[in-house]
Amino acid sequence: MDQPTWLELSRDADMPIEAIRAHFTGHAYDPHWHDSYLIGVTEQGVQQFHSRRKQHRSRPGTVFMLEPGELHDGDAIDEQGFTYRMLYLDPAFVRQQLLDQFTDAPQSVELLFARTLSGDVGLARATFDAFQMLHDGEGKMVREAALGQLFSALTRHSYWRKPQRIYHDNPLAHQARAFMQDRLADNIGLSDMAVALGVDRFRLSREFQAAFGLPPHAWLIQLRLTHARRLLAAGIAPADVAARSGFADQSHLGRWFRRAYQLTPARYQRCTNLPD
């Protein structure tokens, strides 16, 4: 993963939202996932990435939409690089906001996006404006109004699906994922998980990567980083975050956190607006 040419990060004081603006050249980031909904707009250049087993190219004015857990990477296609604005939105917050828009939406549903990219000019403008209001720290009512416009525009690009509680396609992979989620802070090995699930570790690794796009160890690191990020945002000391997220110590957390987010845990924690 290359370092961004520059990066700005702000966290909303009242709502579970982060706003990031960044510029990358070359290889931007390796395959990874987030536990948030991502809504962004490419400002300049062409952002090339893989998601949903397809290659996408987001050009200036294009909106890109990613669901929680959706694997994606990122690259620039030329030396000019690319610039984007992006909002990280908490799933429960997004669901409630859109349920308010869909007065007849069924209960116990998952929100999905109909497509990854959109040329919807209204959605692009609403995303741009919501980002700017949050990033500039406008008054709460102004920020809420901008988000209301964004969620209203998103209704044209979302749909509901009943959660899949039973997995018939690859039950072993989902069992392994649940195992890691339950033992997030433990020093578990692939061999430990294989024994617990009654399979050999080669089959376990193969089926997990086929289902989720990453080998188990890489997926576990992503899970731990996501958990650490939430704890840091809640104001918990980095040393305690490391212990509660499965990292050996604060230094270990710091190395992985800088690699993933281009910031130290302490700097991320105290950010309100961080031009790099």
Side-chain angles (χ1 to χ4, degrees), residues 170-186:
N170 195 330
L172 176 60
H174 292 279
Q175 290 168 11
R177 183 175 66 172
F179 183 94
M180 289 188 285
Q181 289 170 330
D182 291 342
R183 294 159 179 81
L184 170 71
D186 298 341

Side-chain angles (χ1 to χ4, degrees), residues 2-209:
D2 291 345
Q3 294 289 318
T5 304
W6 49 262
L7 180 146
E8 300 172 356
L9 167 65
S10 54
R11 186 183 305 118
D12 192 84
D14 302 297
M15 295 173 282
I17 304 172
E18 290 180 355
I20 291 179
R21 184 170 180 246
H23 179 78
F24 283 92
T25 57
H27 176 61
Y29 33 84
D30 299 329
H32 66 289
W33 54 270
H34 301 274
D35 65 344
S36 306
Y37 285 98
L38 272 57
I39 313 293
V41 179
T42 301
E43 278 188 44
Q44 169 270 324
V46 179
Q47 178 183 183
Q48 179 174 281
F49 64 98
H50 295 84
S51 180
R52 300 186 182 182
R53 303 183 186 277
K54 295 181 180 179
Q55 184 185 83
H56 306 275
R57 285 191 171 185
S58 181
R59 293 174 168 80
T62 302
V63 179
F64 51 94
M65 297 168 281
L66 297 167
E67 300 158 9
E70 195 167 327
L71 197 67
H72 60 285
D73 58 11
D75 293 281
I77 66 167
D78 55 37
E79 66 279 1
Q80 294 182 5
F82 64 90
T83 308
Y84 65 73
R85 298 176 180 231
M86 183 158 60
L87 300 174
Y88 291 74
L89 302 158
D90 177 78
F93 178 76
V94 171
R95 184 180 185 279
Q96 186 56 56
Q97 295 296 315
L98 285 175
L99 280 174
D100 291 344
Q101 301 280 346
F102 288 103
T103 55
D104 58 346
Q107 296 299 310
S108 300
V109 292
E110 292 177 330
L111 170 69
L112 302 178
F113 294 128
R115 59 186 61 85
T116 302
L117 298 180
S118 172
D120 184 336
V121 175
L123 177 59
R125 172 52 58 185
T127 303
F128 189 96
D129 289 345
F131 174 95
Q132 202 63 47
M133 296 303 102
L134 294 169
H135 187 70
D136 291 346
E138 293 289 347
K140 185 176 181 180
M141 192 173 295
V142 174
R143 302 196 316 274
E144 288 176 338
L147 283 171
Q149 292 296 318
L150 171 61
F151 286 118
S152 178
L154 272 176
T155 60
R156 300 190 294 272
H157 301 274
S158 57
Y159 66 96
W160 304 100
R161 182 183 72 182
K162 290 185 177 180
Q164 301 298 310
R165 301 300 182 190
I166 300 175
Y167 301 97
H168 299 288
D169 55 341
N170 195 330
L172 176 60
H174 292 279
Q175 290 168 11
R177 183 175 66 172
F179 183 94
M180 289 188 285
Q181 289 170 330
D182 291 342
R183 294 159 179 81
L184 170 71
D186 298 341
N187 184 23
I188 57 174
L190 182 63
S191 56
D192 301 321
M193 186 161 57
V195 169
L197 298 179
V199 296
D200 70 77
R201 58 192 178 94
F202 301 105
R203 176 190 167 194
L204 177 59
S205 183
R206 183 173 61 251
E207 293 199 20
F208 190 92
Q209 182 152 0

